[in-house]
Amino acid sequence: EGMSERLAETARAVPLLRPYAPALRTAFTALADLAAEGRTWTAQRVHGDLHLGQCLRSPDGQWSLIDFEGEPAKPLAERRLPQPAVRDVAGMLRSFDYAAHSAGVRVPGWAESCRAAYCAGYAAAGGHDPRTDPVLLRAYETDKAVYEVLYEARHRPDWLEVPLAAVRRLSVPEPA
């Protein structure tokens, strides 16, 4: 419900999103349908704003995640709510599109390869591949892309194409 509300609010604020809103909403209704059928997901405290800019690699090759305060624009009580870990996965997956855009030179398939490698590494380290629950992953990645559309429209209009490209991709559900 919250995801659908964010989509509606963003579509009102950013007209470029409006043509995609009905198709994007299907990601949220598919998730709600599974929940209505009794499907549940494990929830936990998540980072809440995980992206490549929150990852540091030390000279010895160790990785650290920083800034665990969550999405700064959200109220603290909301940031502390347990959520599926895939929310953080979706943030990282979206981050690869930004990294590809910031490189200045388009390398076809680079972001897609990074997303696949990240999910494979996540599965190897954590024992669960987020791609095995495509409805949940699509809903959270769509929600993140919708958030980014509003953010970029307000703060960095020159970057709006990055989340809009994801919106176009996510508005076409993958075949079952």
Side-chain angles (χ1 to χ4, degrees):
E1 189 174 294
M3 291 173 171
S4 290
E5 288 173 11
R6 277 187 292 281
L7 173 60
E9 290 169 10
T10 302
R12 281 192 293 277
V14 184
L16 288 171
L17 185 62
R18 291 178 192 158
Y20 303 101
L24 295 174
R25 190 168 290 108
T26 66
F28 308 142
T29 56
L31 186 61
D33 290 347
L34 287 178
E37 294 170 5
R39 176 77 188 274
T40 60
W41 295 271
T42 302
Q44 65 184 48
R45 181 89 184 262
V46 297
H47 184 283
D49 189 28
L50 191 59
H51 54 79
L52 289 168
Q54 309 286 26
C55 304
L56 300 175
R57 186 170 184 209
S58 67
D60 67 357
Q62 294 296 308
W63 287 94
S64 297
L65 302 180
I66 61 170
D67 293 342
F68 280 84
E69 77 275 0
E71 186 55 56
K74 292 189 177 183
L76 182 59
E78 186 178 333
R79 288 184 267 159
R80 288 185 170 168
L81 290 174
Q83 299 200 33
V86 76
R87 177 169 180 207
D88 284 341
V89 171
M92 285 300 292
L93 297 183
R94 292 292 315 116
S95 191
F96 295 122
D97 286 344
Y98 279 87
H101 181 78
S102 69
V105 178
R106 177 80 174 121
V107 178
W110 183 84
E112 294 81 3
S113 295
C114 289
R115 281 195 287 275
Y118 181 81
C119 287
Y122 187 94
H128 175 75
D129 189 328
R131 296 171 294 186
T132 62
D133 196 345
V135 172
L136 184 66
L137 183 59
R138 179 176 175 242
Y140 274 91
E141 192 174 359
T142 299
D143 190 47
K144 183 67 172 176
V146 168
Y147 165 83
E148 292 166 356
V149 165
L150 185 60
Y151 181 89
E152 301 304 357
R154 288 181 175 167
H155 304 287
R156 298 187 304 186
D158 292 348
W159 285 73
L160 186 54
E161 182 51 36
V162 176
L164 284 176
V167 159
R168 286 190 289 276
R169 174 178 56 84
L170 292 162
S171 67
V172 180
E174 294 188 21

